Amino acid sequence: MMALGLFFLATTAGRRTIATTTSTCISSSHKVIRPTTAFLSSSSLSHHRKDTSKQHMSSSSSSSKQAPKKKKKSRGKDLRREFIGMAKAVDRGQFAITYNPGGKDGISFEAKSGLPARNKPFVVLGIESSCDDTGAAVVRSDGVILGESLASQHDIHEEWGGVVPGLAKTAHEEKIDLVIEEALQNANLTMSEVDAIGVTVGPGLEICLRVGCERAKDLALRYKKPFVGVHHLEAHILMARLPFGNLERVEVQPATEEVHEAVHAMSFPFLALLVSGGHCQLMKCLGIGRYSIIGGTIDDSLGEAFDKTARLLGLPVGGGGGPAVEALAKEGDPKSIQLPIPLQRRKDCDFSYAGLKTAVRMAADKLRLERGLESIDDLCRQDKANIAASFQNVAIRHIEQRLNRAMDMIENEQEEEGGEKIQSLAVVGGVAANLELRSRLEKVCDDRSTSWNMFVPPPRLCTDQGSMSAWAAIERIMVGSSDQADGQEVYARFPFSA
């Protein structure tokens, strides 16, 4: 930060005038600028102004004789211009920190804080506080959820129409210990009997992430447990591999001398569609920490579009705008209002929901005018239901188009290049709980010339909760990866490494 070398505060004639100058104190780590105060008379101030004026004129004169300097280009502005119209949260070299637990080759994992014995099932405590719910769960490495607890903040944020970070942080601080204790009690275990700890460290709301991370670090160091800093989006993706319920088929990874037999709902590689409140991405999932993004949102995510539509229609959003719009849409006609499908001229796999959001607002306002009403909120329930149904129909149609294109691309690549075949789709993230979305994407998979297998976690495991952090930590540990608890940071932005 540049310091102002000299600042004058002039007073009326006859009074002393205060001139504040700055002195610089250099410490071993950084520069500290401290103000010093001198007292000048009015005549002294006038003389000082003349001197500084002469110095300025002299400096200007000498500099005018020199060749004009070229303006330095702002690298930040150049990067922003370069990425306009491109998917957000995708690593193209612009991020200082990215997620890459396997190193340059993607498979050189390190056990920085050690590992539990992996030749038999082990137990992990998972903690989640990335946004507005405080979650903890105890999960065994064979996929069994032994105990869990979740403290919702829906009532806190309801009146504000969205998540208020400061309130969310305070609520996390109030509930974190209780939630962890309850998860352990439900699992009939003590902290000493837990084998490792996993906690979400990003991406998310930084002040909220820090609450869970600091608590997890404290427990890991106090009880000397292996520690895993969990990537929030990877945790959502890996929930599709959790062998939940009575699955018709599972993928079995045989035991070795080091690790016990592992059972998964699906195996790598696969295509994942991540749809949540903050993200909308299509990616090839090649292994733990190895993700290749082939499409992402250039503006709003699907979850944001649902939330904004819910607020526009005056629906309760404490439990999330998505469930409120989905419920109301069941009462409406999805073809009653004509809305544009986004990005029809772009033949890629990216998403955009900002334009659709605007189109929904304009359609709602048009109905308001036709009805002679003062506010969109005054529309009758049937009108609102038609708007909700039409929005949801087009929002999902956009997903269907992009997904079909991604599948075409993958199938063409496999025909040309060979390699491991991808024929499975994981639909993950909070919006994956939407039953209409599930139904229509399942049809997309079935209608392919060679049908794809679709995997979606149960609705309660699509949203943020402790089990996702615990299971993601288990997946990391099974490949020999852990992190140092001491010094672990949290990251509001934490893209997968390219």
Side-chain angles (χ1 to χ4, degrees), residues 269-270 411 414 421-425 448 450-453:
F270 57 89
E411 289 173 352
Q414 289 171 168
K421 192 174 184 181
I422 294 179
Q423 207 75 40
S424 298
L425 170 69
R448 304 289 300 177
T450 301
S451 63
W452 284 52
N453 298 312

Side-chain angles (χ1 to χ4, degrees), residues 4-73:
L4 184 62
L6 196 58
F7 174 77
F8 296 102
L9 176 62
T11 61
T12 55
R15 297 180 184 176
R16 290 188 300 177
T17 304
I18 301 175
T20 305
T21 63
T22 58
S23 65
T24 303
C25 172
I26 306 295
S27 71
S28 59
S29 60
H30 61 278
K31 184 183 291 185
V32 181
I33 298 176
R34 294 174 179 166
T36 58
T37 303
F39 294 95
L40 305 177
S41 66
S42 298
S43 60
S44 297
L45 177 59
S46 175
H47 179 70
H48 180 83
R49 282 173 174 163
K50 290 178 182 178
D51 287 346
T52 55
S53 176
K54 289 178 181 178
Q55 290 173 8
H56 176 73
M57 290 174 65
S58 175
S59 174
S60 299
S61 176
S62 61
S63 63
S64 64
K65 297 177 183 178
Q66 299 173 358
K69 293 182 179 180
K70 292 182 179 179
K71 290 184 178 179
K72 291 183 179 179
K73 290 185 178 180

Side-chain angles (χ1 to χ4, degrees), residues 123-130 133-139 145-152 172 175-187 191 194 196-200 212 215-216 219 460-461 463-471:
V123 173
V124 172
L125 168 66
I127 298 172
E128 155 63 26
S129 66
S130 65
D133 286 328
T134 314
V138 179
V139 180
I145 300 174
L146 301 176
E148 55 187 334
S149 178
L150 185 70
S152 171
H172 284 308
K175 296 292 185 180
I176 188 75
D177 289 332
L178 178 64
V179 165
I180 292 171
E181 182 181 350
E182 191 169 87
L184 289 167
Q185 287 178 350
N186 291 339
M191 194 60 230
V194 168
I197 298 173
V199 61
T200 307
R215 192 70 185 98
L219 291 172
R460 76 176 189 85
L461 296 180
T463 53
D464 295 351
Q465 24 70 38
S467 294
M468 61 189 285
S469 297
W471 180 248

